[in-house]
Amino acid sequence: MSAISVHDDRLIGLRFEDGLDRSVKAASPPIFETAPFLFDTYEDYADAAAREKEHFVYSRGTNPTVRAAETVIAALERGEACKCFASGMAAVAAALLGSLSAGDHLILVGRVYETSVSLVRYLSKFGITNTIVQATDAESVAQAITARTRAILMESPASYTFEVTDLAALTALARSRGIRTIVDNSWATPLYLKPLELGADIVVHSASKYLGGHNDLVAGAVIASQAIIDRMHTEEYALIGGSLAPFEAWLLIRGLRTLNIRMEVHHRNGLEVAKYLSEHREVARVNHPGLPSHPQHELARRLFKGYAGLFSFELKNGTYEDIRRTLNRLKLIRIGVSWGAMESQIISPNYGSNLEQLRSEHMPESLVRIAVGHEPPELLIADLEAALGEA
Ligand SMILES: *Cc1c(COP(=O)(O)O)cnc(C)c1O
């Protein structure tokens, strides 16, 4: 940034003459860590305030660093526009609140991310009803549609159990009934699946996972038509205030630059570890859409250009005690709730104290979810071998 004038050596008068000085060709975008943007004349301000979406006025609305991240993500998803949010949940919330009003009905397909399900339950206090369809096929979803159904929320593959959803069939069904479709694409990333090209109306991301990719940021994104995003910008984004901070946006841009290479390693390592587990005597079943043993493997092959490193498996002896003992023996693979970064992480939905809940949700109690990272696969396999061997 040129033309910085400092008065009397006091930084109070620090002045950036031009926030985006064209003469500075930074290889990496600057972090505009600022709340308001300043104007030389009141006319300039009045002009900007009248069209805030196109001008930088206040960072709860637009910020150049955040906009750079939004531009990249919209391009990756082949969407007209994107808004970044302070978390994946802020993005899911904005997509749902922007699509539903009191009295509307929402359908959830298969096993949706658990906090999204909690949010949907919470929305019932505003008179928004829901149906969770356990199956992922279009016929089962069609049966759940009511006269008040306005939106369908889905993920492919499903959280924890990794059933694959035929997105094209579901978006076609929804379109024919005038229902909006929202797809959480955090698992596949736009590199392996582009839901908008399959007819989805809105894509949401937890950018805390693969898009960020370094376990160092919490962020979210919504990608859709310009009309949907414009409205969301003035309503859910600006009014609820879950805006992404400039520094987080910068980390996100930094992560996105290596998304292709990172996903290739997750794809390769994930398949190798999944194959190893599927042949292990202590493992009853592996839920990875890329394995030929997956019930929807053919659909998965058509749908995804590649596979993320997150999948699950079920232990043969799978009580809480068995899970606890096995996970505690792991040395390289760490216990943690998130996924999408270089470090492999493992978790189970079984806490020992929640068996009844797991059964009511048809969640196998022996299920373990692993996020395969970038460590050499032979080291990950050796770690699992040592932990499972003594089971
Ligand atoms: C983590 C996650 C979210 C929520 O994202 P946050 O960034 O943690 O708020 C939403 N959907 C899926 C599939 C996720 O894994």
Side-chain angles (χ1 to χ4, degrees), residues 87-90 92 113 115-116 155 159 184 186-187 205-209 218-220 338-339 369:
S87 68
M89 281 316 300
V92 172
Y113 176 66
T115 314
S116 299
E155 291 167 21
S159 273
D184 185 329
S186 306
W187 184 88
H205 274 282
S206 168
S208 326
K209 313 294 165 53
V218 173
S338 194
W339 46 273
R369 189 189 73 184

Side-chain angles (χ1 to χ4, degrees), residues 11-31:
L11 298 184
I12 294 164
L14 193 78
R15 193 176 172 96
F16 298 89
E17 295 296 349
D18 178 0
L20 272 170
D21 191 324
R22 301 290 183 274
S23 69
V24 178
K25 305 269 196 292
S28 168
I31 306 171

Side-chain angles (χ1 to χ4, degrees), residues 29-145:
I31 306 171
F32 286 90
E33 196 72 47
T34 183
F37 298 84
L38 304 179
F39 299 89
D40 287 332
T41 67
Y42 195 75
E43 306 86 271
D44 287 351
Y45 164 70
D47 192 39
R51 291 178 296 124
E52 232 191 291
K53 283 198 284 284
E54 293 96 60
H55 289 87
F56 302 117
V57 177
Y58 185 56
S59 284
R60 177 157 46 72
T62 42
N63 173 285
T65 315
V66 177
R67 175 160 293 177
E70 291 168 347
T71 307
V72 176
I73 295 171
L76 286 171
E77 284 286 2
R78 308 287 189 269
E80 286 176 9
C82 166
K83 267 323 275 176
C84 279
F85 287 80
S87 68
M89 281 316 300
V92 172
L96 291 176
L97 292 172
S99 304
L100 298 161
S101 303
D104 288 350
H105 174 248
L106 167 75
I107 294 174
L108 275 67
V109 181
R111 193 179 301 279
V112 168
Y113 176 66
E114 63 271 24
T115 314
S116 299
V117 176
S118 301
L119 169 64
V120 165
R121 295 214 167 101
Y122 171 82
L123 290 180
S124 66
K125 84 175 199 177
F126 300 108
I128 295 166
T129 59
N130 70 78
T131 303
I132 299 176
V133 179
Q134 293 296 339
T136 57
D137 61 288
E139 271 151 55
S140 306
V141 174
Q143 280 172 15
I145 294 175

Side-chain angles (χ1 to χ4, degrees), residues 318-321 323-324 348-360 365:
T319 64
Y320 171 71
E321 266 308 302
I323 290 172
R324 186 188 66 75
S348 168
N350 186 346
Y351 310 142
S353 55
N354 62 339
L355 271 185
E356 250 168 62
Q357 192 198 336
L358 292 177
R359 282 179 192 143
S360 74
E365 63 182 276

